[in-house]
PDB file of all heavy atoms in Angstrom:
ATOM      1  N   PRO A 303       0.686 -37.413 107.836  1.00 94.00           N
ATOM      2  CA  PRO A 303       0.180 -36.106 108.281  1.00 94.00           C
ATOM      3  C   PRO A 303      -1.335 -36.128 108.402  1.00 94.00           C
ATOM      4  O   PRO A 303      -2.017 -36.920 107.748  1.00 94.00           O
ATOM      5  CB  PRO A 303       0.620 -35.162 107.157  1.00 94.00           C
ATOM      6  CG  PRO A 303       0.713 -36.040 105.951  1.00 94.00           C
ATOM      7  CD  PRO A 303       1.178 -37.386 106.452  1.00 94.00           C
ATOM      8  N   GLN A 304      -1.849 -35.263 109.257  1.00 95.00           N
ATOM      9  CA  GLN A 304      -3.296 -35.091 109.343  1.00 95.00           C
ATOM     10  C   GLN A 304      -3.746 -34.257 108.149  1.00 95.00           C
ATOM     11  O   GLN A 304      -3.268 -33.145 107.943  1.00 95.00           O
ATOM     12  CB  GLN A 304      -3.686 -34.399 110.654  1.00 95.00           C
ATOM     13  CG  GLN A 304      -3.417 -35.225 111.894  1.00 95.00           C
ATOM     14  CD  GLN A 304      -3.962 -34.562 113.149  1.00 95.00           C
ATOM     15  OE1 GLN A 304      -4.937 -33.807 113.098  1.00 95.00           O
ATOM     16  NE2 GLN A 304      -3.330 -34.833 114.282  1.00 95.00           N
ATOM     17  N   LEU A 305      -4.667 -34.807 107.367  1.00 96.00           N
ATOM     18  CA  LEU A 305      -5.095 -34.168 106.118  1.00 96.00           C
ATOM     19  C   LEU A 305      -6.460 -33.515 106.300  1.00 96.00           C
ATOM     20  O   LEU A 305      -7.394 -34.135 106.788  1.00 96.00           O
ATOM     21  CB  LEU A 305      -5.152 -35.205 105.002  1.00 96.00           C
ATOM     22  CG  LEU A 305      -5.591 -34.722 103.613  1.00 96.00           C
ATOM     23  CD1 LEU A 305      -4.670 -33.630 103.102  1.00 96.00           C
ATOM     24  CD2 LEU A 305      -5.615 -35.903 102.642  1.00 96.00           C
ATOM     25  N   HIS A 306      -6.547 -32.255 105.913  1.00 96.00           N
ATOM     26  CA  HIS A 306      -7.811 -31.512 106.015  1.00 96.00           C
ATOM     27  C   HIS A 306      -8.088 -30.862 104.670  1.00 96.00           C
ATOM     28  O   HIS A 306      -7.251 -30.136 104.137  1.00 96.00           O
ATOM     29  CB  HIS A 306      -7.721 -30.437 107.106  1.00 96.00           C
ATOM     30  CG  HIS A 306      -8.934 -29.546 107.156  1.00 96.00           C
ATOM     31  ND1 HIS A 306     -10.071 -29.886 107.854  1.00 96.00           N
ATOM     32  CD2 HIS A 306      -9.185 -28.344 106.579  1.00 96.00           C
ATOM     33  CE1 HIS A 306     -10.970 -28.921 107.706  1.00 96.00           C
ATOM     34  NE2 HIS A 306     -10.451 -27.973 106.939  1.00 96.00           N
ATOM     35  N   CYS A 307      -9.267 -31.127 104.126  1.00 96.00           N
ATOM     36  CA  CYS A 307      -9.668 -30.517 102.856  1.00 96.00           C
ATOM     37  C   CYS A 307     -10.659 -29.389 103.128  1.00 96.00           C
ATOM     38  O   CYS A 307     -11.684 -29.589 103.791  1.00 96.00           O
ATOM     39  CB  CYS A 307     -10.304 -31.556 101.933  1.00 96.00           C
ATOM     40  SG  CYS A 307     -10.888 -30.880 100.353  1.00 96.00           S
ATOM     41  N   ALA A 308     -10.334 -28.200 102.638  1.00 93.00           N
ATOM     42  CA  ALA A 308     -11.258 -27.073 102.772  1.00 93.00           C
ATOM     43  C   ALA A 308     -12.501 -27.363 101.940  1.00 93.00           C
ATOM     44  O   ALA A 308     -12.407 -27.593 100.732  1.00 93.00           O
ATOM     45  CB  ALA A 308     -10.590 -25.784 102.304  1.00 93.00           C
ATOM     46  N   GLU A 309     -13.657 -27.373 102.567  1.00 86.00           N
ATOM     47  CA  GLU A 309     -14.887 -27.787 101.885  1.00 86.00           C
ATOM     48  C   GLU A 309     -15.296 -26.835 100.774  1.00 86.00           C
ATOM     49  O   GLU A 309     -15.760 -27.250  99.720  1.00 86.00           O
ATOM     50  CB  GLU A 309     -16.022 -27.904 102.916  1.00 86.00           C
ATOM     51  CG  GLU A 309     -15.797 -29.001 103.954  1.00 86.00           C
ATOM     52  CD  GLU A 309     -16.912 -29.042 104.973  1.00 86.00           C
ATOM     53  OE1 GLU A 309     -17.849 -28.210 104.857  1.00 86.00           O
ATOM     54  OE2 GLU A 309     -16.852 -29.894 105.876  1.00 86.00           O
ATOM     55  N   ASN A 310     -15.135 -25.549 101.019  1.00 91.00           N
ATOM     56  CA  ASN A 310     -15.591 -24.570 100.032  1.00 91.00           C
ATOM     57  C   ASN A 310     -14.543 -23.499  99.801  1.00 91.00           C
ATOM     58  O   ASN A 310     -13.810 -23.113 100.717  1.00 91.00           O
ATOM     59  CB  ASN A 310     -16.890 -23.898 100.506  1.00 91.00           C
ATOM     60  CG  ASN A 310     -18.011 -24.883 100.714  1.00 91.00           C
ATOM     61  OD1 ASN A 310     -18.332 -25.231 101.852  1.00 91.00           O
ATOM     62  ND2 ASN A 310     -18.597 -25.346  99.635  1.00 91.00           N
ATOM     63  N   TYR A 311     -14.497 -23.019  98.579  1.00 94.00           N
ATOM     64  CA  TYR A 311     -13.678 -21.861  98.244  1.00 94.00           C
ATOM     65  C   TYR A 311     -14.524 -20.593  98.279  1.00 94.00           C
ATOM     66  O   TYR A 311     -14.047 -19.524  98.591  1.00 94.00           O
ATOM     67  CB  TYR A 311     -13.065 -22.052  96.853  1.00 94.00           C
ATOM     68  CG  TYR A 311     -12.207 -20.906  96.375  1.00 94.00           C
ATOM     69  CD1 TYR A 311     -11.031 -20.563  97.037  1.00 94.00           C
ATOM     70  CD2 TYR A 311     -12.563 -20.176  95.244  1.00 94.00           C
ATOM     71  CE1 TYR A 311     -10.239 -19.518  96.601  1.00 94.00           C
ATOM     72  CE2 TYR A 311     -11.774 -19.131  94.789  1.00 94.00           C
ATOM     73  CZ  TYR A 311     -10.614 -18.808  95.472  1.00 94.00           C
ATOM     74  OH  TYR A 311      -9.831 -17.769  95.037  1.00 94.00           O
ATOM     75  N   LEU A 312     -15.818 -20.758  97.968  1.00 94.00           N
ATOM     76  CA  LEU A 312     -16.746 -19.637  97.955  1.00 94.00           C
ATOM     77  C   LEU A 312     -17.625 -19.651  99.200  1.00 94.00           C
ATOM     78  O   LEU A 312     -17.851 -20.700  99.797  1.00 94.00           O
ATOM     79  CB  LEU A 312     -17.634 -19.695  96.706  1.00 94.00           C
ATOM     80  CG  LEU A 312     -16.910 -19.685  95.360  1.00 94.00           C
ATOM     81  CD1 LEU A 312     -17.924 -19.798  94.226  1.00 94.00           C
ATOM     82  CD2 LEU A 312     -16.064 -18.434  95.202  1.00 94.00           C
ATOM     83  N   SER A 313     -18.124 -18.469  99.564  1.00 90.00           N
ATOM     84  CA  SER A 313     -19.018 -18.379 100.713  1.00 90.00           C
ATOM     85  C   SER A 313     -20.346 -19.045 100.389  1.00 90.00           C
ATOM     86  O   SER A 313     -20.708 -19.249  99.232  1.00 90.00           O
ATOM     87  CB  SER A 313     -19.249 -16.914 101.100  1.00 90.00           C
ATOM     88  OG  SER A 313     -20.064 -16.273 100.129  1.00 90.00           O
ATOM     89  N   ASN A 314     -21.096 -19.380 101.438  1.00 81.00           N
ATOM     90  CA  ASN A 314     -22.362 -20.097 101.260  1.00 81.00           C
ATOM     91  C   ASN A 314     -23.394 -19.284 100.489  1.00 81.00           C
ATOM     92  O   ASN A 314     -24.187 -19.825  99.721  1.00 81.00           O
ATOM     93  CB  ASN A 314     -22.934 -20.486 102.628  1.00 81.00           C
ATOM     94  CG  ASN A 314     -22.081 -21.521 103.332  1.00 81.00           C
ATOM     95  OD1 ASN A 314     -21.457 -22.358 102.692  1.00 81.00           O
ATOM     96  ND2 ASN A 314     -22.042 -21.474 104.651  1.00 81.00           N
ATOM     97  N   SER A 315     -23.394 -17.984 100.683  1.00 90.00           N
ATOM     98  CA  SER A 315     -24.455 -17.154 100.103  1.00 90.00           C
ATOM     99  C   SER A 315     -24.131 -16.635  98.703  1.00 90.00           C
ATOM    100  O   SER A 315     -25.029 -16.242  97.959  1.00 90.00           O
ATOM    101  CB  SER A 315     -24.742 -15.960 101.009  1.00 90.00           C
ATOM    102  OG  SER A 315     -23.582 -15.145 101.135  1.00 90.00           O
ATOM    103  N   THR A 316     -22.874 -16.646  98.322  1.00 92.00           N
ATOM    104  CA  THR A 316     -22.497 -15.945  97.087  1.00 92.00           C
ATOM    105  C   THR A 316     -23.045 -16.625  95.831  1.00 92.00           C
ATOM    106  O   THR A 316     -23.335 -15.961  94.845  1.00 92.00           O
ATOM    107  CB  THR A 316     -20.963 -15.795  97.003  1.00 92.00           C
ATOM    108  OG1 THR A 316     -20.650 -14.775  96.055  1.00 92.00           O
ATOM    109  CG2 THR A 316     -20.277 -17.091  96.583  1.00 92.00           C
ATOM    110  N   ILE A 317     -23.201 -17.953  95.854  1.00 90.00           N
ATOM    111  CA  ILE A 317     -23.721 -18.647  94.673  1.00 90.00           C
ATOM    112  C   ILE A 317     -25.189 -18.277  94.444  1.00 90.00           C
ATOM    113  O   ILE A 317     -25.602 -17.999  93.309  1.00 90.00           O
ATOM    114  CB  ILE A 317     -23.560 -20.171  94.813  1.00 90.00           C
ATOM    115  CG1 ILE A 317     -22.071 -20.537  94.854  1.00 90.00           C
ATOM    116  CG2 ILE A 317     -24.257 -20.900  93.682  1.00 90.00           C
ATOM    117  CD1 ILE A 317     -21.797 -22.009  95.085  1.00 90.00           C
ATOM    118  N   GLU A 318     -25.969 -18.252  95.523  1.00 89.00           N
ATOM    119  CA  GLU A 318     -27.379 -17.869  95.384  1.00 89.00           C
ATOM    120  C   GLU A 318     -27.498 -16.407  94.951  1.00 89.00           C
ATOM    121  O   GLU A 318     -28.368 -16.063  94.142  1.00 89.00           O
ATOM    122  CB  GLU A 318     -28.126 -18.086  96.704  1.00 89.00           C
ATOM    123  CG  GLU A 318     -29.628 -17.869  96.614  1.00 89.00           C
ATOM    124  CD  GLU A 318     -30.307 -18.806  95.630  1.00 89.00           C
ATOM    125  OE1 GLU A 318     -29.767 -19.899  95.343  1.00 89.00           O
ATOM    126  OE2 GLU A 318     -31.382 -18.430  95.126  1.00 89.00           O
ATOM    127  N   ASP A 319     -26.619 -15.559  95.476  1.00 87.00           N
ATOM    128  CA  ASP A 319     -26.620 -14.150  95.058  1.00 87.00           C
ATOM    129  C   ASP A 319     -26.333 -14.037  93.562  1.00 87.00           C
ATOM    130  O   ASP A 319     -26.941 -13.218  92.860  1.00 87.00           O
ATOM    131  CB  ASP A 319     -25.582 -13.356  95.848  1.00 87.00           C
ATOM    132  CG  ASP A 319     -25.971 -13.178  97.304  1.00 87.00           C
ATOM    133  OD1 ASP A 319     -27.164 -13.356  97.625  1.00 87.00           O
ATOM    134  OD2 ASP A 319     -25.089 -12.875  98.129  1.00 87.00           O
ATOM    135  N   LEU A 320     -25.395 -14.855  93.080  1.00 87.00           N
ATOM    136  CA  LEU A 320     -25.062 -14.829  91.652  1.00 87.00           C
ATOM    137  C   LEU A 320     -26.242 -15.316  90.814  1.00 87.00           C
ATOM    138  O   LEU A 320     -26.534 -14.755  89.748  1.00 87.00           O
ATOM    139  CB  LEU A 320     -23.831 -15.696  91.380  1.00 87.00           C
ATOM    140  CG  LEU A 320     -23.389 -15.792  89.910  1.00 87.00           C
ATOM    141  CD1 LEU A 320     -23.029 -14.423  89.363  1.00 87.00           C
ATOM    142  CD2 LEU A 320     -22.212 -16.756  89.784  1.00 87.00           C
ATOM    143  N   ARG A 321     -26.925 -16.361  91.278  1.00 86.00           N
ATOM    144  CA  ARG A 321     -28.098 -16.851  90.553  1.00 86.00           C
ATOM    145  C   ARG A 321     -29.153 -15.749  90.405  1.00 86.00           C
ATOM    146  O   ARG A 321     -29.767 -15.608  89.345  1.00 86.00           O
ATOM    147  CB  ARG A 321     -28.708 -18.047  91.293  1.00 86.00           C
ATOM    148  CG  ARG A 321     -27.911 -19.348  91.122  1.00 86.00           C
ATOM    149  CD  ARG A 321     -28.535 -20.479  91.929  1.00 86.00           C
ATOM    150  NE  ARG A 321     -29.931 -20.702  91.548  1.00 86.00           N
ATOM    151  CZ  ARG A 321     -30.308 -21.439  90.512  1.00 86.00           C
ATOM    152  NH1 ARG A 321     -29.416 -22.037  89.762  1.00 86.00           N
ATOM    153  NH2 ARG A 321     -31.597 -21.589  90.232  1.00 86.00           N
TER     154      ARG A 321
END
Side-chain angles (χ1 to χ4, degrees):
Q304 293 186 28
L305 180 59
H306 174 85
C307 178
E309 295 178 0
N310 300 104
Y311 179 64
L312 302 178
S313 71
N314 293 328
S315 61
T316 198
I317 295 176
E318 187 60 24
D319 290 342
L320 178 61
R321 284 178 57 83

